[in-house]
PDB file of all heavy atoms in Angstrom:
ATOM      1  N   MET A   1     -12.899   7.302  15.116  1.00  0.00           N
ATOM      2  CA  MET A   1     -11.698   8.018  14.701  1.00  0.00           C
ATOM      3  C   MET A   1     -10.915   7.214  13.656  1.00  0.00           C
ATOM      4  O   MET A   1     -10.265   7.788  12.781  1.00  0.00           O
ATOM      5  CB  MET A   1     -10.800   8.276  15.920  1.00  0.00           C
ATOM      6  CG  MET A   1      -9.432   8.853  15.600  1.00  0.00           C
ATOM      7  SD  MET A   1      -8.366   9.039  17.047  1.00  0.00           S
ATOM      8  CE  MET A   1      -7.881   7.336  17.376  1.00  0.00           C
ATOM      9  N   LEU A   2     -11.007   5.887  13.738  1.00  0.00           N
ATOM     10  CA  LEU A   2     -10.142   5.049  12.915  1.00  0.00           C
ATOM     11  C   LEU A   2     -10.589   4.928  11.462  1.00  0.00           C
ATOM     12  O   LEU A   2      -9.738   4.823  10.575  1.00  0.00           O
ATOM     13  CB  LEU A   2     -10.008   3.662  13.550  1.00  0.00           C
ATOM     14  CG  LEU A   2      -9.284   3.663  14.899  1.00  0.00           C
ATOM     15  CD1 LEU A   2      -9.279   2.259  15.485  1.00  0.00           C
ATOM     16  CD2 LEU A   2      -7.878   4.212  14.786  1.00  0.00           C
ATOM     17  N   ASP A   3     -11.877   4.914  11.175  1.00  0.00           N
ATOM     18  CA  ASP A   3     -12.322   4.733   9.787  1.00  0.00           C
ATOM     19  C   ASP A   3     -11.795   5.802   8.836  1.00  0.00           C
ATOM     20  O   ASP A   3     -11.328   5.467   7.742  1.00  0.00           O
ATOM     21  CB  ASP A   3     -13.844   4.625   9.697  1.00  0.00           C
ATOM     22  CG  ASP A   3     -14.321   3.183   9.780  1.00  0.00           C
ATOM     23  OD1 ASP A   3     -13.508   2.257   9.546  1.00  0.00           O
ATOM     24  OD2 ASP A   3     -15.508   2.976  10.078  1.00  0.00           O
ATOM     25  N   PRO A   4     -11.827   7.086   9.191  1.00  0.00           N
ATOM     26  CA  PRO A   4     -11.237   8.074   8.278  1.00  0.00           C
ATOM     27  C   PRO A   4      -9.732   7.863   8.078  1.00  0.00           C
ATOM     28  O   PRO A   4      -9.208   8.119   6.993  1.00  0.00           O
ATOM     29  CB  PRO A   4     -11.514   9.419   8.959  1.00  0.00           C
ATOM     30  CG  PRO A   4     -12.676   9.162   9.854  1.00  0.00           C
ATOM     31  CD  PRO A   4     -12.539   7.736  10.300  1.00  0.00           C
ATOM     32  N   GLN A   5      -9.045   7.372   9.105  1.00  0.00           N
ATOM     33  CA  GLN A   5      -7.621   7.072   8.954  1.00  0.00           C
ATOM     34  C   GLN A   5      -7.422   5.923   7.973  1.00  0.00           C
ATOM     35  O   GLN A   5      -6.521   5.969   7.132  1.00  0.00           O
ATOM     36  CB  GLN A   5      -6.992   6.741  10.317  1.00  0.00           C
ATOM     37  CG  GLN A   5      -6.913   7.944  11.233  1.00  0.00           C
ATOM     38  CD  GLN A   5      -6.229   7.645  12.549  1.00  0.00           C
ATOM     39  OE1 GLN A   5      -5.372   6.778  12.647  1.00  0.00           O
ATOM     40  NE2 GLN A   5      -6.601   8.399  13.585  1.00  0.00           N
ATOM     41  N   VAL A   6      -8.268   4.898   8.071  1.00  0.00           N
ATOM     42  CA  VAL A   6      -8.186   3.763   7.135  1.00  0.00           C
ATOM     43  C   VAL A   6      -8.341   4.265   5.707  1.00  0.00           C
ATOM     44  O   VAL A   6      -7.547   3.919   4.823  1.00  0.00           O
ATOM     45  CB  VAL A   6      -9.258   2.694   7.449  1.00  0.00           C
ATOM     46  CG1 VAL A   6      -9.329   1.645   6.350  1.00  0.00           C
ATOM     47  CG2 VAL A   6      -9.008   2.035   8.793  1.00  0.00           C
ATOM     48  N   GLU A   7      -9.342   5.081   5.457  1.00  0.00           N
ATOM     49  CA  GLU A   7      -9.598   5.590   4.104  1.00  0.00           C
ATOM     50  C   GLU A   7      -8.433   6.443   3.598  1.00  0.00           C
ATOM     51  O   GLU A   7      -8.025   6.331   2.443  1.00  0.00           O
ATOM     52  CB  GLU A   7     -10.910   6.376   4.061  1.00  0.00           C
ATOM     53  CG  GLU A   7     -12.139   5.511   4.208  1.00  0.00           C
ATOM     54  CD  GLU A   7     -12.172   4.373   3.202  1.00  0.00           C
ATOM     55  OE1 GLU A   7     -11.958   4.612   1.993  1.00  0.00           O
ATOM     56  OE2 GLU A   7     -12.412   3.222   3.630  1.00  0.00           O
ATOM     57  N   SER A   8      -7.910   7.285   4.457  1.00  0.00           N
ATOM     58  CA  SER A   8      -6.791   8.135   4.062  1.00  0.00           C
ATOM     59  C   SER A   8      -5.550   7.309   3.746  1.00  0.00           C
ATOM     60  O   SER A   8      -4.874   7.545   2.734  1.00  0.00           O
ATOM     61  CB  SER A   8      -6.495   9.134   5.184  1.00  0.00           C
ATOM     62  OG  SER A   8      -5.350   9.881   4.883  1.00  0.00           O
ATOM     63  N   VAL A   9      -5.249   6.333   4.589  1.00  0.00           N
ATOM     64  CA  VAL A   9      -4.074   5.486   4.369  1.00  0.00           C
ATOM     65  C   VAL A   9      -4.279   4.651   3.106  1.00  0.00           C
ATOM     66  O   VAL A   9      -3.328   4.427   2.343  1.00  0.00           O
ATOM     67  CB  VAL A   9      -3.774   4.616   5.609  1.00  0.00           C
ATOM     68  CG1 VAL A   9      -2.693   3.589   5.325  1.00  0.00           C
ATOM     69  CG2 VAL A   9      -3.377   5.502   6.793  1.00  0.00           C
ATOM     70  N   ARG A  10      -5.502   4.217   2.847  1.00  0.00           N
ATOM     71  CA  ARG A  10      -5.784   3.485   1.606  1.00  0.00           C
ATOM     72  C   ARG A  10      -5.478   4.363   0.390  1.00  0.00           C
ATOM     73  O   ARG A  10      -4.893   3.902  -0.588  1.00  0.00           O
ATOM     74  CB  ARG A  10      -7.246   3.033   1.594  1.00  0.00           C
ATOM     75  CG  ARG A  10      -7.576   2.123   0.423  1.00  0.00           C
ATOM     76  CD  ARG A  10      -8.985   1.557   0.512  1.00  0.00           C
ATOM     77  NE  ARG A  10      -9.027   0.601   1.608  1.00  0.00           N
ATOM     78  CZ  ARG A  10     -10.049   0.487   2.469  1.00  0.00           C
ATOM     79  NH1 ARG A  10     -11.096   1.256   2.367  1.00  0.00           N
ATOM     80  NH2 ARG A  10     -10.021  -0.403   3.424  1.00  0.00           N
ATOM     81  N   GLU A  11      -5.840   5.634   0.446  1.00  0.00           N
ATOM     82  CA  GLU A  11      -5.531   6.564  -0.647  1.00  0.00           C
ATOM     83  C   GLU A  11      -4.027   6.771  -0.789  1.00  0.00           C
ATOM     84  O   GLU A  11      -3.504   6.844  -1.907  1.00  0.00           O
ATOM     85  CB  GLU A  11      -6.232   7.900  -0.422  1.00  0.00           C
ATOM     86  CG  GLU A  11      -7.734   7.838  -0.652  1.00  0.00           C
ATOM     87  CD  GLU A  11      -8.429   9.166  -0.377  1.00  0.00           C
ATOM     88  OE1 GLU A  11      -7.766  10.224  -0.447  1.00  0.00           O
ATOM     89  OE2 GLU A  11      -9.641   9.137  -0.099  1.00  0.00           O
ATOM     90  N   MET A  12      -3.323   6.857   0.344  1.00  0.00           N
ATOM     91  CA  MET A  12      -1.864   6.994   0.291  1.00  0.00           C
ATOM     92  C   MET A  12      -1.244   5.787  -0.409  1.00  0.00           C
ATOM     93  O   MET A  12      -0.332   5.934  -1.232  1.00  0.00           O
ATOM     94  CB  MET A  12      -1.282   7.099   1.705  1.00  0.00           C
ATOM     95  CG  MET A  12      -1.600   8.356   2.434  1.00  0.00           C
ATOM     96  SD  MET A  12      -0.915   8.246   4.123  1.00  0.00           S
ATOM     97  CE  MET A  12      -1.809   9.579   4.909  1.00  0.00           C
ATOM     98  N   THR A  13      -1.738   4.609  -0.063  1.00  0.00           N
ATOM     99  CA  THR A  13      -1.238   3.374  -0.661  1.00  0.00           C
ATOM    100  C   THR A  13      -1.445   3.394  -2.168  1.00  0.00           C
ATOM    101  O   THR A  13      -0.544   3.050  -2.941  1.00  0.00           O
ATOM    102  CB  THR A  13      -1.952   2.151  -0.042  1.00  0.00           C
ATOM    103  OG1 THR A  13      -1.795   2.194   1.370  1.00  0.00           O
ATOM    104  CG2 THR A  13      -1.401   0.855  -0.579  1.00  0.00           C
ATOM    105  N   ASP A  14      -2.618   3.816  -2.592  1.00  0.00           N
ATOM    106  CA  ASP A  14      -2.931   3.874  -4.019  1.00  0.00           C
ATOM    107  C   ASP A  14      -2.017   4.869  -4.731  1.00  0.00           C
ATOM    108  O   ASP A  14      -1.509   4.592  -5.822  1.00  0.00           O
ATOM    109  CB  ASP A  14      -4.401   4.251  -4.211  1.00  0.00           C
ATOM    110  CG  ASP A  14      -4.841   4.132  -5.647  1.00  0.00           C
ATOM    111  OD1 ASP A  14      -4.666   3.047  -6.238  1.00  0.00           O
ATOM    112  OD2 ASP A  14      -5.375   5.122  -6.189  1.00  0.00           O
ATOM    113  N   THR A  15      -1.777   5.998  -4.113  1.00  0.00           N
ATOM    114  CA  THR A  15      -0.893   7.009  -4.698  1.00  0.00           C
ATOM    115  C   THR A  15       0.520   6.459  -4.874  1.00  0.00           C
ATOM    116  O   THR A  15       1.146   6.650  -5.922  1.00  0.00           O
ATOM    117  CB  THR A  15      -0.873   8.274  -3.813  1.00  0.00           C
ATOM    118  OG1 THR A  15      -2.206   8.787  -3.730  1.00  0.00           O
ATOM    119  CG2 THR A  15       0.048   9.333  -4.372  1.00  0.00           C
ATOM    120  N   ILE A  16       1.014   5.760  -3.863  1.00  0.00           N
ATOM    121  CA  ILE A  16       2.356   5.173  -3.960  1.00  0.00           C
ATOM    122  C   ILE A  16       2.395   4.100  -5.046  1.00  0.00           C
ATOM    123  O   ILE A  16       3.331   4.052  -5.852  1.00  0.00           O
ATOM    124  CB  ILE A  16       2.823   4.616  -2.604  1.00  0.00           C
ATOM    125  CG1 ILE A  16       3.123   5.773  -1.654  1.00  0.00           C
ATOM    126  CG2 ILE A  16       4.052   3.723  -2.774  1.00  0.00           C
ATOM    127  CD1 ILE A  16       3.511   5.353  -0.257  1.00  0.00           C
ATOM    128  N   ALA A  17       1.382   3.230  -5.067  1.00  0.00           N
ATOM    129  CA  ALA A  17       1.351   2.165  -6.081  1.00  0.00           C
ATOM    130  C   ALA A  17       1.348   2.760  -7.487  1.00  0.00           C
ATOM    131  O   ALA A  17       2.055   2.274  -8.381  1.00  0.00           O
ATOM    132  CB  ALA A  17       0.132   1.274  -5.867  1.00  0.00           C
ATOM    133  N   GLU A  18       0.583   3.816  -7.689  1.00  0.00           N
ATOM    134  CA  GLU A  18       0.535   4.446  -9.005  1.00  0.00           C
ATOM    135  C   GLU A  18       1.857   5.129  -9.347  1.00  0.00           C
ATOM    136  O   GLU A  18       2.273   5.141 -10.500  1.00  0.00           O
ATOM    137  CB  GLU A  18      -0.643   5.411  -9.077  1.00  0.00           C
ATOM    138  CG  GLU A  18      -1.964   4.658  -9.099  1.00  0.00           C
ATOM    139  CD  GLU A  18      -3.185   5.548  -9.035  1.00  0.00           C
ATOM    140  OE1 GLU A  18      -3.050   6.783  -8.866  1.00  0.00           O
ATOM    141  OE2 GLU A  18      -4.304   4.989  -9.138  1.00  0.00           O
ATOM    142  N   ARG A  19       2.553   5.658  -8.344  1.00  0.00           N
ATOM    143  CA  ARG A  19       3.870   6.259  -8.600  1.00  0.00           C
ATOM    144  C   ARG A  19       4.876   5.170  -8.989  1.00  0.00           C
ATOM    145  O   ARG A  19       5.681   5.364  -9.899  1.00  0.00           O
ATOM    146  CB  ARG A  19       4.365   7.033  -7.357  1.00  0.00           C
ATOM    147  CG  ARG A  19       5.704   7.730  -7.570  1.00  0.00           C
ATOM    148  CD  ARG A  19       5.582   8.889  -8.527  1.00  0.00           C
ATOM    149  NE  ARG A  19       6.898   9.497  -8.751  1.00  0.00           N
ATOM    150  CZ  ARG A  19       7.208  10.186  -9.822  1.00  0.00           C
ATOM    151  NH1 ARG A  19       6.303  10.407 -10.768  1.00  0.00           N
ATOM    152  NH2 ARG A  19       8.404  10.699  -9.954  1.00  0.00           N
ATOM    153  N   ILE A  20       4.805   4.025  -8.323  1.00  0.00           N
ATOM    154  CA  ILE A  20       5.666   2.896  -8.678  1.00  0.00           C
ATOM    155  C   ILE A  20       5.435   2.514 -10.136  1.00  0.00           C
ATOM    156  O   ILE A  20       6.388   2.325 -10.900  1.00  0.00           O
ATOM    157  CB  ILE A  20       5.418   1.696  -7.737  1.00  0.00           C
ATOM    158  CG1 ILE A  20       5.957   2.003  -6.335  1.00  0.00           C
ATOM    159  CG2 ILE A  20       6.049   0.417  -8.288  1.00  0.00           C
ATOM    160  CD1 ILE A  20       5.537   1.006  -5.259  1.00  0.00           C
ATOM    161  N   ALA A  21       4.173   2.421 -10.544  1.00  0.00           N
ATOM    162  CA  ALA A  21       3.850   2.070 -11.932  1.00  0.00           C
ATOM    163  C   ALA A  21       4.340   3.155 -12.893  1.00  0.00           C
ATOM    164  O   ALA A  21       4.873   2.850 -13.967  1.00  0.00           O
ATOM    165  CB  ALA A  21       2.347   1.849 -12.088  1.00  0.00           C
ATOM    166  N   THR A  22       4.192   4.414 -12.509  1.00  0.00           N
ATOM    167  CA  THR A  22       4.651   5.524 -13.346  1.00  0.00           C
ATOM    168  C   THR A  22       6.156   5.438 -13.597  1.00  0.00           C
ATOM    169  O   THR A  22       6.629   5.760 -14.685  1.00  0.00           O
ATOM    170  CB  THR A  22       4.311   6.872 -12.673  1.00  0.00           C
ATOM    171  OG1 THR A  22       2.890   6.973 -12.543  1.00  0.00           O
ATOM    172  CG2 THR A  22       4.835   8.053 -13.458  1.00  0.00           C
ATOM    173  N   LEU A  23       6.892   4.982 -12.602  1.00  0.00           N
ATOM    174  CA  LEU A  23       8.347   4.880 -12.721  1.00  0.00           C
ATOM    175  C   LEU A  23       8.785   3.603 -13.414  1.00  0.00           C
ATOM    176  O   LEU A  23       9.986   3.371 -13.585  1.00  0.00           O
ATOM    177  CB  LEU A  23       8.993   4.978 -11.341  1.00  0.00           C
ATOM    178  CG  LEU A  23       8.793   6.308 -10.616  1.00  0.00           C
ATOM    179  CD1 LEU A  23       9.411   6.263  -9.232  1.00  0.00           C
ATOM    180  CD2 LEU A  23       9.356   7.466 -11.428  1.00  0.00           C
ATOM    181  N   GLY A  24       7.814   2.772 -13.822  1.00  0.00           N
ATOM    182  CA  GLY A  24       8.141   1.546 -14.533  1.00  0.00           C
ATOM    183  C   GLY A  24       8.160   0.309 -13.663  1.00  0.00           C
ATOM    184  O   GLY A  24       8.533  -0.766 -14.116  1.00  0.00           O
ATOM    185  N   GLY A  25       7.772   0.459 -12.418  1.00  0.00           N
ATOM    186  CA  GLY A  25       7.727  -0.676 -11.510  1.00  0.00           C
ATOM    187  C   GLY A  25       6.393  -1.389 -11.559  1.00  0.00           C
ATOM    188  O   GLY A  25       5.452  -0.947 -12.218  1.00  0.00           O
ATOM    189  N   VAL A  26       6.334  -2.485 -10.861  1.00  0.00           N
ATOM    190  CA  VAL A  26       5.105  -3.275 -10.757  1.00  0.00           C
ATOM    191  C   VAL A  26       4.723  -3.317  -9.285  1.00  0.00           C
ATOM    192  O   VAL A  26       5.384  -3.993  -8.486  1.00  0.00           O
ATOM    193  CB  VAL A  26       5.306  -4.705 -11.298  1.00  0.00           C
ATOM    194  CG1 VAL A  26       4.036  -5.533 -11.128  1.00  0.00           C
ATOM    195  CG2 VAL A  26       5.740  -4.668 -12.762  1.00  0.00           C
ATOM    196  N   PRO A  27       3.693  -2.576  -8.876  1.00  0.00           N
ATOM    197  CA  PRO A  27       3.287  -2.601  -7.474  1.00  0.00           C
ATOM    198  C   PRO A  27       2.637  -3.951  -7.134  1.00  0.00           C
ATOM    199  O   PRO A  27       1.637  -4.322  -7.736  1.00  0.00           O
ATOM    200  CB  PRO A  27       2.291  -1.451  -7.358  1.00  0.00           C
ATOM    201  CG  PRO A  27       1.879  -1.121  -8.742  1.00  0.00           C
ATOM    202  CD  PRO A  27       2.908  -1.647  -9.679  1.00  0.00           C
ATOM    203  N   LEU A  28       3.252  -4.661  -6.211  1.00  0.00           N
ATOM    204  CA  LEU A  28       2.744  -5.973  -5.812  1.00  0.00           C
ATOM    205  C   LEU A  28       2.008  -5.834  -4.486  1.00  0.00           C
ATOM    206  O   LEU A  28       2.625  -5.555  -3.464  1.00  0.00           O
ATOM    207  CB  LEU A  28       3.891  -6.973  -5.676  1.00  0.00           C
ATOM    208  CG  LEU A  28       4.702  -7.232  -6.938  1.00  0.00           C
ATOM    209  CD1 LEU A  28       5.903  -8.118  -6.628  1.00  0.00           C
ATOM    210  CD2 LEU A  28       3.833  -7.857  -8.011  1.00  0.00           C
ATOM    211  N   GLY A  29       0.697  -6.043  -4.534  1.00  0.00           N
ATOM    212  CA  GLY A  29      -0.114  -5.876  -3.337  1.00  0.00           C
ATOM    213  C   GLY A  29      -0.875  -7.118  -2.926  1.00  0.00           C
ATOM    214  O   GLY A  29      -1.837  -7.015  -2.183  1.00  0.00           O
ATOM    215  N   THR A  30      -0.450  -8.284  -3.387  1.00  0.00           N
ATOM    216  CA  THR A  30      -1.138  -9.510  -2.990  1.00  0.00           C
ATOM    217  C   THR A  30      -0.763  -9.862  -1.547  1.00  0.00           C
ATOM    218  O   THR A  30       0.332  -9.506  -1.082  1.00  0.00           O
ATOM    219  CB  THR A  30      -0.780 -10.673  -3.940  1.00  0.00           C
ATOM    220  OG1 THR A  30       0.636 -10.866  -3.902  1.00  0.00           O
ATOM    221  CG2 THR A  30      -1.237 -10.368  -5.365  1.00  0.00           C
ATOM    222  N   PRO A  31      -1.649 -10.553  -0.843  1.00  0.00           N
ATOM    223  CA  PRO A  31      -1.385 -10.829   0.575  1.00  0.00           C
ATOM    224  C   PRO A  31      -0.041 -11.494   0.843  1.00  0.00           C
ATOM    225  O   PRO A  31       0.716 -11.031   1.709  1.00  0.00           O
ATOM    226  CB  PRO A  31      -2.555 -11.746   0.979  1.00  0.00           C
ATOM    227  CG  PRO A  31      -3.671 -11.340   0.071  1.00  0.00           C
ATOM    228  CD  PRO A  31      -2.991 -11.018  -1.246  1.00  0.00           C
ATOM    229  N   GLN A  32       0.289 -12.544   0.122  1.00  0.00           N
ATOM    230  CA  GLN A  32       1.548 -13.230   0.396  1.00  0.00           C
ATOM    231  C   GLN A  32       2.745 -12.353   0.078  1.00  0.00           C
ATOM    232  O   GLN A  32       3.738 -12.363   0.801  1.00  0.00           O
ATOM    233  CB  GLN A  32       1.645 -14.545  -0.391  1.00  0.00           C
ATOM    234  CG  GLN A  32       2.828 -15.404   0.019  1.00  0.00           C
ATOM    235  CD  GLN A  32       2.759 -15.837   1.481  1.00  0.00           C
ATOM    236  OE1 GLN A  32       1.766 -16.415   1.918  1.00  0.00           O
ATOM    237  NE2 GLN A  32       3.794 -15.532   2.249  1.00  0.00           N
ATOM    238  N   SER A  33       2.656 -11.549  -0.986  1.00  0.00           N
ATOM    239  CA  SER A  33       3.786 -10.678  -1.324  1.00  0.00           C
ATOM    240  C   SER A  33       4.008  -9.635  -0.239  1.00  0.00           C
ATOM    241  O   SER A  33       5.153  -9.264   0.046  1.00  0.00           O
ATOM    242  CB  SER A  33       3.587 -10.020  -2.689  1.00  0.00           C
ATOM    243  OG  SER A  33       2.608  -9.004  -2.625  1.00  0.00           O
ATOM    244  N   ILE A  34       2.936  -9.179   0.385  1.00  0.00           N
ATOM    245  CA  ILE A  34       3.057  -8.205   1.475  1.00  0.00           C
ATOM    246  C   ILE A  34       3.734  -8.861   2.674  1.00  0.00           C
ATOM    247  O   ILE A  34       4.685  -8.326   3.245  1.00  0.00           O
ATOM    248  CB  ILE A  34       1.676  -7.640   1.869  1.00  0.00           C
ATOM    249  CG1 ILE A  34       1.035  -6.900   0.691  1.00  0.00           C
ATOM    250  CG2 ILE A  34       1.766  -6.748   3.101  1.00  0.00           C
ATOM    251  CD1 ILE A  34       1.841  -5.774   0.113  1.00  0.00           C
ATOM    252  N   VAL A  35       3.267 -10.034   3.053  1.00  0.00           N
ATOM    253  CA  VAL A  35       3.857 -10.750   4.189  1.00  0.00           C
ATOM    254  C   VAL A  35       5.331 -11.046   3.933  1.00  0.00           C
ATOM    255  O   VAL A  35       6.180 -10.857   4.805  1.00  0.00           O
ATOM    256  CB  VAL A  35       3.073 -12.048   4.483  1.00  0.00           C
ATOM    257  CG1 VAL A  35       3.804 -12.915   5.500  1.00  0.00           C
ATOM    258  CG2 VAL A  35       1.665 -11.720   4.965  1.00  0.00           C
ATOM    259  N   ASP A  36       5.649 -11.474   2.719  1.00  0.00           N
ATOM    260  CA  ASP A  36       7.035 -11.806   2.378  1.00  0.00           C
ATOM    261  C   ASP A  36       7.967 -10.603   2.468  1.00  0.00           C
ATOM    262  O   ASP A  36       9.154 -10.758   2.749  1.00  0.00           O
ATOM    263  CB  ASP A  36       7.121 -12.392   0.966  1.00  0.00           C
ATOM    264  CG  ASP A  36       6.513 -13.776   0.857  1.00  0.00           C
ATOM    265  OD1 ASP A  36       6.257 -14.416   1.901  1.00  0.00           O
ATOM    266  OD2 ASP A  36       6.290 -14.220  -0.288  1.00  0.00           O
ATOM    267  N   ARG A  37       7.452  -9.404   2.220  1.00  0.00           N
ATOM    268  CA  ARG A  37       8.301  -8.212   2.182  1.00  0.00           C
ATOM    269  C   ARG A  37       8.293  -7.421   3.489  1.00  0.00           C
ATOM    270  O   ARG A  37       9.027  -6.451   3.625  1.00  0.00           O
ATOM    271  CB  ARG A  37       7.893  -7.325   1.003  1.00  0.00           C
ATOM    272  CG  ARG A  37       8.164  -8.036  -0.315  1.00  0.00           C
ATOM    273  CD  ARG A  37       8.005  -7.222  -1.577  1.00  0.00           C
ATOM    274  NE  ARG A  37       7.110  -6.115  -1.651  1.00  0.00           N
ATOM    275  CZ  ARG A  37       5.825  -6.184  -2.061  1.00  0.00           C
ATOM    276  NH1 ARG A  37       5.278  -7.332  -2.389  1.00  0.00           N
ATOM    277  NH2 ARG A  37       5.101  -5.095  -2.157  1.00  0.00           N
ATOM    278  N   ARG A  38       7.489  -7.815   4.445  1.00  0.00           N
ATOM    279  CA  ARG A  38       7.457  -7.111   5.742  1.00  0.00           C
ATOM    280  C   ARG A  38       8.726  -7.365   6.527  1.00  0.00           C
ATOM    281  O   ARG A  38       9.259  -8.464   6.511  1.00  0.00           O
ATOM    282  CB  ARG A  38       6.281  -7.597   6.592  1.00  0.00           C
ATOM    283  CG  ARG A  38       4.987  -7.052   6.188  1.00  0.00           C
ATOM    284  CD  ARG A  38       3.849  -7.583   6.995  1.00  0.00           C
ATOM    285  NE  ARG A  38       4.207  -7.953   8.346  1.00  0.00           N
ATOM    286  CZ  ARG A  38       3.320  -8.244   9.270  1.00  0.00           C
ATOM    287  NH1 ARG A  38       2.049  -8.224   8.991  1.00  0.00           N
ATOM    288  NH2 ARG A  38       3.700  -8.580  10.471  1.00  0.00           N
ATOM    289  N   SER A  39       9.180  -6.362   7.244  1.00  0.00           N
ATOM    290  CA  SER A  39      10.374  -6.520   8.087  1.00  0.00           C
ATOM    291  C   SER A  39      10.028  -6.302   9.565  1.00  0.00           C
ATOM    292  O   SER A  39      10.911  -6.162  10.391  1.00  0.00           O
ATOM    293  CB  SER A  39      11.459  -5.542   7.639  1.00  0.00           C
ATOM    294  OG  SER A  39      10.994  -4.218   7.751  1.00  0.00           O
ATOM    295  N   TRP A  40       8.757  -6.283   9.905  1.00  0.00           N
ATOM    296  CA  TRP A  40       8.326  -6.028  11.274  1.00  0.00           C
ATOM    297  C   TRP A  40       7.363  -7.122  11.708  1.00  0.00           C
ATOM    298  O   TRP A  40       6.829  -7.861  10.890  1.00  0.00           O
ATOM    299  CB  TRP A  40       7.663  -4.652  11.400  1.00  0.00           C
ATOM    300  CG  TRP A  40       6.567  -4.448  10.396  1.00  0.00           C
ATOM    301  CD1 TRP A  40       5.238  -4.755  10.544  1.00  0.00           C
ATOM    302  CD2 TRP A  40       6.697  -3.924   9.071  1.00  0.00           C
ATOM    303  NE1 TRP A  40       4.551  -4.449   9.398  1.00  0.00           N
ATOM    304  CE2 TRP A  40       5.428  -3.939   8.482  1.00  0.00           C
ATOM    305  CE3 TRP A  40       7.782  -3.433   8.334  1.00  0.00           C
ATOM    306  CZ2 TRP A  40       5.205  -3.495   7.181  1.00  0.00           C
ATOM    307  CZ3 TRP A  40       7.546  -3.002   7.042  1.00  0.00           C
ATOM    308  CH2 TRP A  40       6.273  -3.018   6.485  1.00  0.00           C
TER     309      TRP A  40
END
């Protein structure tokens, strides 16, 4: 059940990152940047 969820969430992530870039932002997806920005 989990693999299709992983693929779908990966696509969601890509869509958001591309929207950030479209708006003039820089999507930061490196491991340390993710850890630094997590609040949970």
Side-chain angles (χ1 to χ4, degrees):
M1 172 184 75
L2 294 176
D3 268 341
Q5 291 183 29
V6 170
E7 290 306 311
S8 175
V9 171
R10 187 173 290 140
E11 287 178 24
M12 291 176 196
T13 305
D14 188 54
T15 300
I16 289 176
E18 290 174 355
R19 182 70 182 156
I20 289 169
T22 298
L23 296 177
V26 178
L28 299 173
T30 59
Q32 189 62 54
S33 73
I34 298 303
V35 170
D36 290 346
R37 295 189 332 268
R38 283 178 29 169
S39 60
W40 52 90

